[in-house]
Amino acid sequence: MTAELDIVRSVAELRARVKYWRDQGLTIALVPTMGALHQGHLSLVTKALEHADRVVASVFVNPTQFGPNEDFSRYPRQEERDAALLEGAGCHLLFAPTVTEMYPDGFATTVTVAGVADGLCGTVRPGHFAGVATVVTKLLLQALPDVAVFGEKDWQQLAVIRRFARDLDIPVGIVGAPTLREADGLALSSRNAYMTPEERAIAPWLKRGLDGVADGLRAGASAADLCPKAIDGLLKAGFASVDYLEVRDAETLAPVDKLDRPVRILVAARLGKTRLIDNIGVVPASR
Ligand code: PAF
């Protein structure tokens, strides 16, 4: 696959291109990614095109958001394929910086977010959200788009990004895009490629577990009652372990027991070497 899509690797080139568009009165959307693109990412480009005249996607496997025992080195890197897919989706520019462009010698600043970044993936992956917040802050300030689009599949990440963008007065609208799923309910993820066929057959139970908790909440049951049972169900289905399965306030991510406000049910579980996450929203019937 070869792409005609323009690729820039330096912040200076990115800013020059954005300025060129701005001078023509065009609006700009940014879609930050780590590459290994699938239809879920391409739906972010489609969403971005609804919000702006020009779409810049970034592909950068950000080392600071991976823990020492995580999959940074084996994370799939396939720039040519990614560029061709982005071009097909209508993206106008790919920003693919090197690690030294993003983190030059002497780099010493970290953006940390309290509250929404604590708990859930924040507990299981210490430092992860500081790495995400730091790189996304940089990308937003480098491109200074009108909007930036992120997938709702990483709901806690989206909440963290909304929080620091508001707190730091970063003048970029943060847009969430719904999770795309396979026919059997499995959320699209670059990490799905790691699974064996046996693991892939078990993986859809993650969404079924979330749906079961959603039904229980709608019927008036409590999270305290429903979540341990759902975790047990995932372990019985073949998951090696469940990092968390919890019901949280959809915006603040504070723990919630009953369906008395819009909630998000969030799960992270391991299948062999693969860690899968997913979440769904539920709102009380009267809303
Ligand atoms: O969701 C991702 O792919 C990454 O966390 C992001 C937002 C591109 C930051 O590296």
Side-chain angles (χ1 to χ4, degrees):
M1 241 187 265
T2 49
E4 299 297 314
L5 183 68
D6 280 354
I7 304 180
V8 294
R9 302 196 187 274
S10 70
V11 176
E13 287 170 292
L14 170 68
R15 287 201 168 127
R17 183 62 71 96
V18 169
K19 180 175 182 318
Y20 173 76
W21 285 329
R22 289 266 181 237
D23 288 347
Q24 296 174 55
L26 299 172
T27 55
I28 289 127
L30 176 70
V31 178
T33 81
M34 295 204 303
L37 303 181
H38 50 66
Q39 288 303 319
H41 295 108
L42 303 182
S43 77
L44 305 184
V45 174
T46 306
K47 179 68 113 187
L49 286 165
E50 289 166 17
H51 286 265
D53 304 311
R54 292 289 179 271
V55 175
V56 181
S58 62
V59 169
F60 179 63
V61 185
N62 173 36
T64 65
Q65 70 187 76
F66 289 80
N69 299 317
E70 292 186 349
D71 55 349
F72 175 68
S73 55
R74 73 176 178 133
Y75 200 86
R77 287 156 174 89
Q78 40 197 42
E79 187 181 283
E80 275 221 3
R81 181 179 176 277
D82 289 345
L85 289 171
L86 287 168
E87 188 185 27
C91 176
H92 298 92
L93 181 70
L94 169 56
F95 176 48
T98 59
V99 173
T100 34
E101 181 71 7
M102 293 300 273
Y103 299 113
D105 268 357
F107 187 88
T109 301
T110 302
V111 178
T112 57
V113 180
V116 285
D118 299 332
L120 306 170
C121 286
T123 304
V124 187
R125 304 183 69 188
H128 169 68
F129 286 122
V132 170
T134 303
V135 82
V136 175
T137 300
K138 285 175 66 72
L139 289 165
L140 295 180
L141 295 177
Q142 288 164 349
L144 271 184
D146 298 276
V147 297
V149 184
F150 299 88
E152 290 182 352
K153 192 192 135 248
D154 297 297
W155 188 264
Q156 189 178 14
Q157 167 173 286
L158 182 58
V160 167
I161 292 168
R162 286 194 201 283
R163 184 73 261 164
F164 76 70
R166 215 177 300 155
D167 291 352
L168 298 178
D169 302 309
I170 298 179
V172 177
I174 304 301
V175 175
T179 304
L180 287 202
R181 298 183 180 281
E182 304 281 5
D184 60 11
L186 178 66
L188 298 194
S189 164
S190 306
R191 292 189 167 101
N192 291 353
Y194 297 157
M195 283 186 278
T196 64
E198 293 72 26
E199 290 164 354
R200 176 63 189 81
I202 297 168
W205 283 100
L206 209 55
K207 172 68 163 49
R208 288 175 207 146
L210 292 173
D211 288 338
V213 173
D215 289 345
L217 288 172
R218 285 193 202 95
S222 69
D225 215 33
L226 294 163
C227 293
K229 287 180 190 149
I231 291 173
D232 208 39
L234 290 179
L235 296 174
K236 287 204 173 96
F239 280 85
S241 60
V242 179
D243 289 346
Y244 60 78
L245 192 162
E246 293 189 33
V247 181
R248 298 288 185 110
D249 180 290
E251 196 187 330
T252 65
L253 296 187
V256 170
D257 199 39
K258 290 281 194 167
L259 187 55
D260 54 7
R261 66 190 96 169
V263 301
R264 213 76 198 173
I265 311 165
L266 304 107
V267 66
R270 292 172 199 264
L271 260 178
K273 289 200 172 102
T274 310
R275 182 174 181 274
L276 298 176
I277 64 170
D278 200 353
N279 69 84
I280 58 171
V282 195
V283 290
S286 57
R287 288 186 189 245

